[in-house]
Structure formats: structure tokens, C-alpha cells
Amino acid sequence: MTRPPSSSGGARRVRCRCGRSVLRQLVGNRAALDVTADADEMTAAAAVKLREPNRLDWCVRTTAGGPDLQWADCHKRRAECTRPHVIDHQCTAPPGSGAHAHGRGRPRKTSVPEGQLALG
């Protein structure tokens, strides 16, 4: 039996508006979550200490295509995960900074709240 393909091709390394390097990926097979995580890898134990109710840590699997973020359910399966982990990014840029704040382009109008993905 073969494994079904993942919901994405792995994480993309991009730069946040605050200047930090982050990983972006849709994580999950059914209801994917749009994840933006700091690119700095750490141990599972260090990631658990930074975890909060609205700030998750992610297990990083390295593939031929690069990093692939996975749900960090490894805490339940074993005492210490040997894979590196990353933590959700908390942007430190002031509100309104970025390309639109400097007059380049017009802000996009969407019918969904900010942070929610529009399907279609």
C-alpha cells in the first residue's frame, strides 16, 4: 500500500514583513491549516516550552524537496522526538507595514476575514 500524497509540496522559506525568515505551508490532509513558523529549528523540549494555546510547535521532517512541517503529535507517541521542531511565528512588525504602507500597489479586498483562506 502506498502512502497518499501530502496536501502540499512542503514548506516554502519566505521573508516576513518584520524581516525574519519563516516557513509557510498548508499542514493537514483534510482541513489544512495555513502555518507560518519561525525558520529557526530547535529541540522538541525547547519548542514545548514556547508553546501556548494559540502558538503551536511543528515537527520538521526533512525530505528531498526541503522541510516538511507536520503536526507535533510526537509528544504523545514518545518521550523525546529526535526531529527538529519550529514554533509559530509572532510578527513584530508594526501594523500597516509592508508593501501597501509604502504606496506600492493597492491592498487586496477579500470577502473573508484577514487570516482566513479563501477557497476557489
Side-chain angles (χ1 to χ4, degrees), residues 25 27-28 33 35 37 42-52 55-61 68-88:
Q25 179 182 336
V27 178
L33 185 63
V35 175
M42 61 187 74
T43 64
V48 167
K49 290 179 183 177
L50 295 173
R51 189 176 195 160
E52 297 172 2
R55 190 177 191 202
L56 303 176
D57 63 308
W58 303 94
C59 193
V60 181
R61 181 177 64 123
D68 183 35
L69 303 181
Q70 299 180 332
W71 288 96
D73 59 356
C74 51
H75 305 297
K76 300 174 192 170
R77 290 181 287 166
R78 53 184 144 182
E80 182 64 33
C81 181
T82 57
R83 289 185 182 156
H85 283 235
V86 293
I87 190 86
D88 279 338

Side-chain angles (χ1 to χ4, degrees), residues 17-53:
R17 65 183 183 189
C18 67
R20 290 202 56 185
S21 180
V22 295
L23 299 172
R24 294 281 316 264
Q25 179 182 336
L26 285 174
V27 178
N29 291 326
R30 291 194 178 109
L33 185 63
D34 186 14
V35 175
T36 303
D38 292 337
D40 306 324
E41 295 180 353
M42 61 187 74
T43 64
V48 167
K49 290 179 183 177
L50 295 173
R51 189 176 195 160
E52 297 172 2

Side-chain angles (χ1 to χ4, degrees), residues 93-107:
S97 66
H100 302 302
H102 302 292
R104 294 178 290 187
R106 292 189 325 228

